[in-house]
Amino acid sequence: MQYALELVGTYFFAISGALAIQNKDQDLFGVGFMGFITAIGGGSLRDILIGAYPLVWIENVNFLYAIFAGLITTFLFFSHMAKLRKTLFLFDTLGIAFFTILGVEKCLNLGFRPEVAAIMGMFSAVMGGVIRDTLTNEIPILFRKEVYASACLAGAVVYLTLDYFGLDRDTNLLGSIALIIIIRLVAVKFKLNLPILK
Amino acid sequence: MQYALELVGTYFFAISGALAIQNKDQDLFGVGFMGFITAIGGGSLRDILIGAYPLVWIENVNFLYAIFAGLITTFLFFSHMAKLRKTLFLFDTLGIAFFTILGVEKCLNLGFRPEVAAIMGMFSAVMGGVIRDTLTNEIPILFRKEVYASACLAGAVVYLTLDYFGLDRDTNLLGSIALIIIIRLVAVKFKLNLPILK
Amino acid sequence: MQYALELVGTYFFAISGALAIQNKDQDLFGVGFMGFITAIGGGSLRDILIGAYPLVWIENVNFLYAIFAGLITTFLFFSHMAKLRKTLFLFDTLGIAFFTILGVEKCLNLGFRPEVAAIMGMFSAVMGGVIRDTLTNEIPILFRKEVYASACLAGAVVYLTLDYFGLDRDTNLLGSIALIIIIRLVAVKFKLNLPILK
């Protein structure tokens, strides 16, 4: 079940990664490359930092096929997808929420400290997009979007806190994912931002 | 023989990496640093992703000396080299073709799946340049040049396919390298591009 | 003693990293994220390249707390700190000098060749800032500042040379750190630059 969700999440991550650069006159290969980097970047960076080899998509090529499927979907329905921005926004929000908490759990299971797990959860979710934006010379999403990475970090901290107090895993997982989604939706809806330093 | 070729390839990679930023008012150190990053970047990223430690140039410092030699050559003949663009283009094309297939072979020898080997072969060849371009705030070569990384990927896939069908290694190696070179030369000569998504 | 210095160095690295992006309309989270990346980036890249797991800040979360302390200091005194540029420049210079030589020593202790240790020492000190600048779409510090990374490399080479000739560790450590600081201060004071290639 969780494995199926991870594959589906990877599929959507590849799509939203590829679509994020649509205004750039990229050829097919460039768009595909960027979808690929977005989908694998965050999890790969997390696993390299914590030394968790082999990387998930290198051990299990089904993740590569999920990405290919996402890229082919993008190529086929490219012109239609521009109209689906709201749907894609939802999928992206679901994706970062889900991958944050999975990243946190992976680190806890490997015996890392909760402080490390919180950072790695956030990295899993957002660093793929950060790498993509850096490669295409954009200001990373992290600095543009209202409460994006910080929603992930907040969800991770809440998960870890409730886990510490013994909440059962499934309730905690769903609750924390829901929290990230709600923070993100509320922030976008009401254009909330964190304070700017002056 | 192959080892000698790798050293020579590294030498030329450092030169083409350093020359790629010549219009930027970089000081000597900056140019050298970028030549270094270009030469080690792709292979290092590949080895970090697949967890193949120690990295090639860290275990065998002769690669570092090949890079130093390339950088000194660049410093001494900098003003002349601008006129040698066609020669350097050829060396760069030879280099990416050669390093792609070597990267593929390394992954196969370590027991990785062909899908992974194809991606890692391409990464070996092009990611050094991508990292250099990102650090110097350029749109990476990958997105500017006609059929650059995609030629490497095509060559890698052909190598893996023929290897699967039992073609002997030397023929396959030379044939796949030649294929990458031909695709690249034809694409540049006739200004071929992959389709742009609209 | 050295451990205390490392924590203090990390604290100041986080501050100078966070302040480096103050003209960018970043929100609180973005500034903190960048301070974090600056503080951990160089050492993490070094340890990933040489395969020295677990990474320092992942094994010992006190480094994370030193970074948090630095970020909170930045948030609280942000408007005052802009006036402290000279003090911060001194701390940054102390920091890169110190972390260069510590990085060199770590590599030597792990049995790596001096050529590798020199490069890794420099990477430890400067790559955090390079990653930060790349993520925020700046031309990396490496290419803007007078004799920055090259001072670190020079100090590393001197340390390794004197170590080879048997100078005792403490004298060598202090002397090489002082050398980096002096090179940097002299270069800034007299606006010295390395030659630009033409």
Side-chain angles (χ1 to χ4, degrees):
Chain A
M1 173 64 185
Q2 177 175 323
Y3 174 57
L5 277 176
E6 284 185 57
L7 286 176
V8 172
T10 303
Y11 169 83
F12 281 113
F13 241 31
I15 292 178
S16 77
L19 285 174
I21 53 165
Q22 71 185 40
N23 9 6
K24 286 233 153 191
D25 248 32
Q26 303 285 351
D27 68 16
L28 239 156
F29 182 85
V31 171
F33 190 89
M34 281 302 146
F36 176 71
I37 294 282
T38 311
I40 63 147
S44 298
L45 181 65
R46 176 199 63 213
D47 289 345
I48 289 171
L49 286 170
I50 61 175
Y53 286 100
L55 305 194
V56 175
W57 59 275
I58 287 180
E59 186 172 37
N60 182 344
V61 288
N62 286 337
F63 286 96
L64 285 182
Y65 288 115
I67 294 172
F68 284 135
L71 298 180
I72 288 169
T73 308
T74 311
F75 295 157
L76 291 179
F77 303 106
F78 196 76
S79 54
H80 302 280
M81 281 182 162
K83 298 169 206 152
L84 298 174
R85 288 205 168 276
K86 280 202 176 158
T87 317
L88 284 164
F89 167 79
L90 277 178
F91 281 127
D92 186 61
T93 301
L94 281 169
I96 60 168
F98 181 63
F99 283 116
T100 297
I101 305 301
L102 287 192
V104 169
E105 288 197 324
K106 177 166 189 174
C107 292
L108 287 185
N109 291 340
L110 289 170
F112 290 101
R113 294 269 307 231
E115 295 92 332
V116 171
I119 292 169
M120 292 301 161
M122 175 185 66
F123 272 21
S124 314
V126 305
M127 291 305 269
V130 169
I131 295 169
R132 175 201 60 216
D133 292 339
T134 304
L135 289 180
T136 52
N137 255 350
E138 301 263 350
I139 299 288
I141 198 170
L142 206 78
F143 302 128
R144 287 177 288 134
K145 278 203 193 167
E146 309 85 355
V147 193
Y148 188 78
S150 40
C152 297
L153 192 59
V157 169
V158 167
Y159 179 89
L160 288 160
T161 309
L162 296 179
D163 183 66
Y164 178 80
F165 287 113
L167 188 64
D168 79 286
R169 188 237 178 197
D170 286 351
T171 315
N172 198 355
L173 185 79
L174 291 176
S176 305
I177 289 177
L179 178 71
I180 297 174
I181 295 171
I182 291 167
I183 294 178
R184 178 102 181 86
L185 293 183
V186 169
V188 168
K189 178 82 180 167
F190 298 103
K191 297 193 193 301
L192 302 181
N193 288 293
L194 290 172
I196 288 178
L197 289 171
K198 292 223 193 285
Chain B
M1 173 64 185
Q2 177 174 324
Y3 174 57
L5 277 177
E6 284 185 58
L7 285 176
V8 172
T10 302
Y11 170 83
F12 280 113
F13 241 30
I15 293 179
S16 77
L19 286 174
I21 53 165
Q22 70 185 42
N23 9 5
K24 285 232 154 188
D25 248 33
Q26 304 284 351
D27 68 16
L28 239 155
F29 183 84
V31 171
F33 191 88
M34 282 304 147
F36 175 71
I37 294 283
T38 311
I40 63 145
S44 298
L45 180 64
R46 176 200 63 215
D47 289 346
I48 289 170
L49 286 169
I50 62 176
Y53 285 101
L55 304 194
V56 176
W57 59 275
I58 286 179
E59 186 174 37
N60 182 344
V61 287
N62 286 337
F63 285 96
L64 284 182
Y65 287 116
I67 293 172
F68 284 136
L71 297 180
I72 287 168
T73 308
T74 310
F75 295 158
L76 292 178
F77 303 107
F78 195 75
S79 54
H80 301 281
M81 281 183 161
K83 299 169 206 152
L84 296 175
R85 287 206 169 276
K86 279 201 176 157
T87 317
L88 284 164
F89 166 77
L90 277 177
F91 281 126
D92 186 60
T93 302
L94 281 168
I96 58 169
F98 180 64
F99 283 115
T100 298
I101 304 301
L102 288 192
V104 169
E105 287 196 326
K106 176 166 191 174
C107 291
L108 287 185
N109 291 340
L110 290 170
F112 290 100
R113 293 269 309 231
E115 295 92 334
V116 171
I119 291 169
M120 292 301 161
M122 175 184 67
F123 272 21
S124 315
V126 306
M127 291 305 269
V130 168
I131 296 169
R132 176 201 58 216
D133 292 339
T134 305
L135 289 179
T136 51
N137 255 351
E138 301 261 350
I139 299 287
I141 198 171
L142 207 80
F143 302 127
R144 288 178 287 135
K145 278 204 191 166
E146 310 85 351
V147 192
Y148 188 77
S150 42
C152 298
L153 192 58
V157 169
V158 166
Y159 179 90
L160 288 160
T161 310
L162 296 179
D163 183 66
Y164 179 80
F165 286 114
L167 188 63
D168 79 287
R169 188 237 177 197
D170 286 352
T171 316
N172 198 354
L173 185 79
L174 291 176
S176 303
I177 288 177
L179 179 71
I180 296 174
I181 295 171
I182 290 168
I183 293 177
R184 178 101 181 85
L185 293 183
V186 168
V188 169
K189 177 82 180 169
F190 297 104
K191 298 192 193 301
L192 301 181
N193 288 293
L194 291 173
I196 289 177
L197 289 171
K198 291 225 193 287
Chain C
M1 171 65 186
Q2 177 175 322
Y3 173 57
L5 277 177
E6 285 185 57
L7 286 177
V8 172
T10 302
Y11 170 82
F12 280 113
F13 241 30
I15 292 179
S16 78
L19 286 174
I21 53 164
Q22 70 185 42
N23 11 6
K24 287 233 152 189
D25 248 31
Q26 303 284 351
D27 67 17
L28 239 155
F29 182 85
V31 172
F33 190 89
M34 282 302 146
F36 175 71
I37 295 282
T38 311
I40 63 146
S44 298
L45 180 65
R46 176 200 62 213
D47 288 346
I48 289 170
L49 286 170
I50 63 175
Y53 286 100
L55 304 194
V56 176
W57 59 274
I58 287 179
E59 186 173 38
N60 181 345
V61 288
N62 286 338
F63 285 96
L64 284 182
Y65 287 116
I67 294 172
F68 284 135
L71 297 180
I72 287 167
T73 309
T74 310
F75 295 158
L76 292 178
F77 303 108
F78 195 77
S79 53
H80 302 280
M81 281 184 162
K83 299 170 205 152
L84 297 174
R85 288 207 167 275
K86 280 204 178 156
T87 317
L88 284 164
F89 166 79
L90 276 178
F91 281 127
D92 186 61
T93 302
L94 281 168
I96 59 168
F98 180 64
F99 283 116
T100 297
I101 305 301
L102 287 192
V104 168
E105 286 195 326
K106 177 166 190 175
C107 292
L108 287 185
N109 291 340
L110 290 170
F112 290 102
R113 293 271 308 232
E115 295 92 333
V116 171
I119 292 169
M120 292 301 161
M122 174 185 65
F123 273 21
S124 315
V126 305
M127 292 304 270
V130 168
I131 295 169
R132 175 200 60 215
D133 292 339
T134 304
L135 289 179
T136 51
N137 255 351
E138 301 263 350
I139 298 288
I141 198 170
L142 206 81
F143 302 128
R144 288 177 287 134
K145 276 203 191 165
E146 310 84 352
V147 191
Y148 188 77
S150 41
C152 298
L153 192 59
V157 169
V158 167
Y159 179 89
L160 288 160
T161 309
L162 295 179
D163 183 66
Y164 178 80
F165 286 115
L167 188 63
D168 79 288
R169 189 238 178 196
D170 286 352
T171 316
N172 198 356
L173 185 79
L174 291 176
S176 304
I177 288 176
L179 179 70
I180 296 174
I181 295 170
I182 291 168
I183 294 178
R184 178 101 181 86
L185 293 184
V186 169
V188 168
K189 177 84 179 165
F190 298 103
K191 297 193 193 302
L192 301 181
N193 288 292
L194 291 172
I196 289 178
L197 288 171
K198 291 225 192 285

